[in-house]
Amino acid sequence: MGAAGRVRPVLLSLGFAAGLLAVLVLGSGLTLSGLWAALGRVPLWVYLPVALVQAVIIALAAKKWVLILGAGGGQSLPLRDATSATTLGALAGQVLPIQLVTPALRAWVARRHGIAPTRAVGTSLLEQVFEVIVLAAMGASGLLARLAGFDIVATGIFALLIALVLTGVVRPGLTLGAWAVARLAPMAGAFATLAQGFDKAREMPGRLLVTLTSLSLARYLMMAAMNVGLLMVLAPQADPVLLVAAYPLVLLVMTLPIFPGGLGVVELTWSGVLIAQGSGVAEATEAALALRIVQTAGFLAIAPLLVALGKRHV
């Protein structure tokens, strides 16, 4: 495929995301003053913990990749370099599908440590298997908590109990996941690749499976807490239990390899959740866009430091 062939899908993805975002903004009646007012609800000091939480989330993903690379005595790389590579992927993921660009950038960094690009990409994709397992479990727990009428404290306790059970039965969970994804494989090649990842994950030692699942759970809980916490500030009238229950759906659409960083579709999803709870269309859209701006600002503030961790080697 020539350069034009590689660039065209990127431009189409960006154009579609920008178009979706424009439709959302223009159709909602959002105003700059309203968006500025929404941003004003977030104290400046909050940007620091937002940046630090995102740094930890990236470092946990890098740690998982390092552990998978080193499984069975394989060649791995220092955590600082893995964190730098993962951050580069997240940066590129602001304008490109992160699921596609992160493995490529990780392979570029790993090659300088004598790791074959195919192995770097394969282990990077394998890491995502544990994210899928956790997403499914947390999605089910959020839905059940909502149906049961739990308050936010009971929802948190229930989710933690589900998380503890998941770490204890991760291998059967992988077996179930492999079966489910295999049923979907004829529909799309991406599912076939994911099914292979489930099969490879089942071959890992039990202790490593528990560690990788625990790290994925920690990442999920931190991301959910950050998103729900910020939305409670931006839209105080929202029901936190419904936000917790909706977050797996938001994360799912965010991970679709179609939209760069879920741009547009994530805002549309959060807006729909807030509107369903009684928020006005413009108010909901302002909160969703403000959430994107706050998180992006926090990430861009910490990203240079994370990239610099591996600068000497990259």
Side-chain angles (χ1 to χ4, degrees):
M1 181 184 295
R6 291 192 295 268
V7 171
R8 191 176 297 112
V10 173
L11 294 178
L12 287 174
S13 176
L14 282 172
F16 191 79
L20 184 60
L21 194 59
V23 169
L24 178 63
V25 170
L26 296 175
S28 67
L30 174 146
T31 63
L32 288 177
S33 60
L35 179 59
W36 185 254
L39 288 170
R41 299 188 191 106
V42 181
L44 287 178
W45 64 266
V46 170
Y47 286 82
L48 177 59
V50 167
L52 294 177
V53 166
Q54 292 189 86
V56 175
I57 288 171
I58 288 175
L60 290 177
K63 179 63 175 178
K64 288 196 301 171
W65 183 43
V66 167
L67 289 173
I68 294 173
L69 278 170
Q75 172 68 28
S76 190
L77 72 167
L79 179 59
R80 64 177 181 272
D81 297 292
T83 300
S84 177
T86 303
T87 305
L88 288 172
L91 277 170
Q94 303 299 311
V95 294
L96 298 169
I98 193 170
Q99 297 76 21
L100 304 179
V101 71
T102 296
L105 286 171
R106 279 177 165 180
W108 176 63
V109 173
R111 185 177 56 182
R112 301 174 188 275
H113 291 268
I115 299 172
T118 53
R119 182 165 170 263
V121 171
T123 52
S124 186
L125 294 174
L126 181 56
E127 179 214 331
Q128 297 178 16
V129 167
F130 297 90
E131 302 290 322
V132 172
I133 287 287
V134 169
L135 176 61
M138 293 297 97
S141 68
L143 178 61
L144 290 174
R146 177 64 180 172
L147 293 175
F150 292 163
D151 60 20
I152 187 61
V153 175
T155 298
I157 294 173
F158 182 63
L160 288 175
L161 289 174
I162 293 294
L164 289 174
V165 171
L166 177 62
T167 57
V169 296
V170 61
R171 198 180 297 277
L174 288 169
T175 300
L176 178 61
W179 177 85
V181 174
R183 304 285 82 76
L184 298 172
M187 299 170 55
F191 288 115
T193 302
L194 188 58
Q196 294 173 5
F198 274 98
D199 288 332
K200 291 181 179 179
R202 285 189 296 171
E203 299 172 1
M204 292 181 172
R207 181 174 296 181
L208 179 58
L209 287 178
V210 170
T211 299
L212 293 171
T213 305
S214 298
L215 291 174
S216 294
L217 280 167
R219 274 174 46 82
Y220 179 90
L221 293 175
M222 294 180 74
M223 289 188 292
M226 178 174 62
N227 278 268
V228 172
L230 285 172
L231 278 174
M232 289 305 300
V233 174
L234 294 166
Q237 76 284 357
D239 179 1
V241 176
L242 184 55
L243 295 178
V244 170
Y247 183 66
L249 174 61
V250 173
L251 191 58
L252 177 62
V253 298
M254 185 185 299
T255 56
L256 292 174
I258 303 172
F259 308 97
L263 185 63
V265 68
V266 168
E267 286 72 27
L268 182 63
T269 305
W270 274 133
S271 296
V273 171
L274 294 174
I275 291 170
Q277 298 185 61
S279 296
V281 176
E283 182 184 11
T285 305
E286 289 160 2
L289 283 175
L291 175 65
R292 166 79 67 173
I293 292 171
V294 172
Q295 290 186 326
T296 301
F299 171 66
L300 293 179
I302 200 69
L305 296 177
L306 299 177
V307 172
L309 290 175
K311 188 174 181 181
R312 291 173 299 174
H313 305 277
V314 176

